[in-house]
Amino acid sequence: MSGMAPNHNNSSQEEYIPHSLQKEDPFASKLSREADIIAGFYLTIIGILSTLGNGYVIYMSSKRKKKLRPAEIMTVNLAVCDLGISVVGKPFSIISFFSHRWMFGWIGCRWYGWAGFFFGCGSLITMTAVSLDRYLKICHLSYGTWLKRHHAFICLAIIWAYATFWATVPFAGVGNYAPEPFGTSCTLDWWLAQASVAGQVFVLSILFFCLLFPTAVIVFSYVKIILKVKSSTKEVAHYDTRIQNSHILEMKLTKVAMLICTGFLIAWIPYAVVSVWSAFGRPDSVPIKFSVIPTLLAKSAAMYNPIIYQVIDCKFACCRPGGLKAKSSLKKSRTYTISAHRDSTAMNETQLE
């Protein structure tokens, strides 16, 4: 490995790499070969389960794509993001872990870093949109019933544009993608914050717009939903069976969304903490063996969502081929939504496909 270091120094003099790697080959694994093999098998299992699970969600949704509700459309988009991470990104890291070094050079490193950040940002912004949809549906019925399929597609366009912008910003000269300290994966160049003020601005912007702000919106939405549900549960008990069934369905949809967001944040927050620590702490302050654990945890996020869809009986069409079906097997079902601003006898009726 030592013979390769001079070649790296000659070919990438303009590359900024983490302080801990500046005197070494940045693509050589800093873990033991046994640890790399274990990590490779772990990612292989995660990748297979994620690909099969999210592929199944997308396949079942495609069978009734013209009947998907706005909330279901956003859920399918989340599956697309998770599938993208599994198919586009994971093979690079799996091959590199088994090879005991990053095998794809600086171009592959940038591509892998871009793809991971693009689909990861797309997932988080999609969950932010889902949380807002649930918030409007539960807490502001007049807006919730107004949202239609074409609004969901407009939202998708905004999500993909947002993710594309922030993932591509590093290529404009204000940031970069770099190898992880352990060598066999790549990510945003958090270490630029130690190199210049411009690097600090770049890292702080990424943290705010692609983590802190979306997370704050998600937390706000679900806190308001929980408070609203607590105040309205007793009122719903007085309505007929159709009203109660509609309320139960909305609660199941909301539970799914909450679990998805919770799983994503649990997987990614440790990685974000370690990244901030690396960016603004002392150089080499994060042990290399410690930094790999949050990275592997974050890579498992794409596997959780299909499991959540199956565990929660939420009647999502992407989980069940029959879509939304009434127990009486009627071809059409009608749900009744309760207005929080009217008397207990006032109800708004909406037709579902």
Side-chain angles (χ1 to χ4, degrees):
M1 294 296 180
S2 59
M4 297 183 65
N7 293 334
H8 161 73
N9 293 335
N10 292 335
S11 62
S12 57
Q13 294 178 353
E14 297 181 358
E15 306 292 350
Y16 183 82
I17 60 177
H19 181 271
S20 60
L21 303 179
Q22 289 179 358
K23 297 180 181 179
E24 306 176 43
D25 179 0
F27 297 133
S29 176
K30 309 307 182 294
L31 305 175
S32 66
R33 186 171 293 276
E34 292 76 14
D36 275 338
I37 292 174
I38 292 173
F41 276 115
Y42 168 81
L43 288 181
T44 300
I45 294 172
I46 294 296
I48 292 173
L49 293 177
S50 175
T51 301
L52 293 177
N54 289 291
Y56 175 74
V57 170
I58 295 171
Y59 170 73
M60 298 310 296
S61 299
S62 67
K63 298 180 70 173
R64 57 184 299 274
K65 56 185 178 181
K66 294 183 179 180
K67 296 183 179 181
L68 293 177
R69 299 166 63 192
E72 295 174 298
I73 292 172
M74 303 307 295
T75 303
V76 173
N77 189 65
L78 186 60
V80 171
C81 292
D82 291 341
L83 184 64
I85 292 175
S86 301
V87 174
V88 176
K90 281 189 174 59
F92 287 82
S93 55
I94 290 171
I95 292 172
S96 296
F97 273 115
F98 282 128
S99 301
H100 199 49
R101 66 174 286 107
W102 179 259
M103 298 296 294
F104 306 98
W106 278 103
I107 294 177
C109 183
R110 287 196 179 99
W111 161 250
Y112 177 85
W114 181 91
F117 185 52
F118 172 72
F119 288 114
C121 182
S123 294
L124 182 57
I125 303 304
T126 299
M127 285 185 284
T128 305
V130 170
S131 69
L132 286 174
D133 172 78
R134 294 292 86 206
Y135 169 70
L136 293 174
K137 189 72 174 180
I138 303 298
C139 301
H140 298 281
L141 286 171
S142 58
Y143 292 100
T145 56
W146 172 76
L147 293 174
K148 305 299 180 183
R149 280 170 55 92
H150 67 276
H151 296 120
F153 289 116
I154 293 173
C155 188
L156 290 186
I158 295 173
I159 290 170
W160 288 111
Y162 193 92
T164 300
F165 173 79
W166 286 108
T168 310
V169 159
F171 295 136
V174 297
N176 206 347
Y177 294 98
E180 299 268 16
F182 51 86
T184 47
S185 182
C186 293
T187 184
L188 278 169
D189 194 346
W190 302 105
W191 302 272
L192 282 173
Q194 298 179 0
S196 65
V197 174
Q200 293 177 0
V201 172
F202 164 72
V203 170
L204 290 174
S205 298
I206 291 292
L207 286 172
F208 179 79
F209 289 104
C210 300
L211 179 63
L212 297 179
F213 177 68
T215 301
V217 173
I218 291 171
V219 171
F220 168 81
S221 298
Y222 289 124
V223 167
K224 297 292 287 186
I225 288 171
I226 291 171
L227 295 176
K228 181 67 176 179
V229 169
K230 285 184 177 181
S231 65
S232 62
T233 300
K234 293 182 180 180
E235 296 178 6
V236 174
H238 297 292
Y239 294 103
D240 61 31
T241 303
R242 291 175 298 182
I243 298 297
Q244 294 179 15
N245 289 341
S246 176
H247 181 74
I248 290 172
L249 176 58
E250 293 300 334
M251 289 303 100
K252 285 181 178 179
L253 298 177
T254 303
K255 287 178 182 178
V256 168
M258 290 179 68
L259 286 174
I260 288 172
C261 293
T262 300
F264 185 91
L265 294 177
I266 289 175
W268 279 98
I269 284 179
Y271 179 78
V273 170
V274 170
S275 298
V276 173
W277 186 0
S278 300
F280 297 101
R282 288 187 304 104
D284 307 334
S285 60
V286 180
I288 290 178
K289 292 182 178 180
F290 177 76
S291 68
V292 71
I293 298 175
T295 301
L296 294 177
L297 178 62
K299 292 179 185 296
S300 69
M303 179 187 68
Y304 302 150
N305 297 342
I307 297 175
I308 293 173
Y309 303 148
Q310 296 296 336
V311 171
I312 301 295
D313 182 19
C314 60
K315 299 184 181 179
F316 269 5
C318 56
C319 293
R320 296 184 177 182
L324 292 172
K325 292 184 178 180
K327 291 183 179 180
S328 59
S329 300
L330 294 176
K331 293 182 179 180
K332 293 183 179 181
S333 63
R334 301 179 69 86
T335 63
Y336 297 76
T337 57
I338 308 165
S339 175
H341 303 289
R342 296 185 180 181
D343 296 333
S344 59
T345 57
M347 293 178 291
N348 293 328
E349 182 179 341
T350 56
Q351 177 74 41
L352 289 181
E353 292 177 306

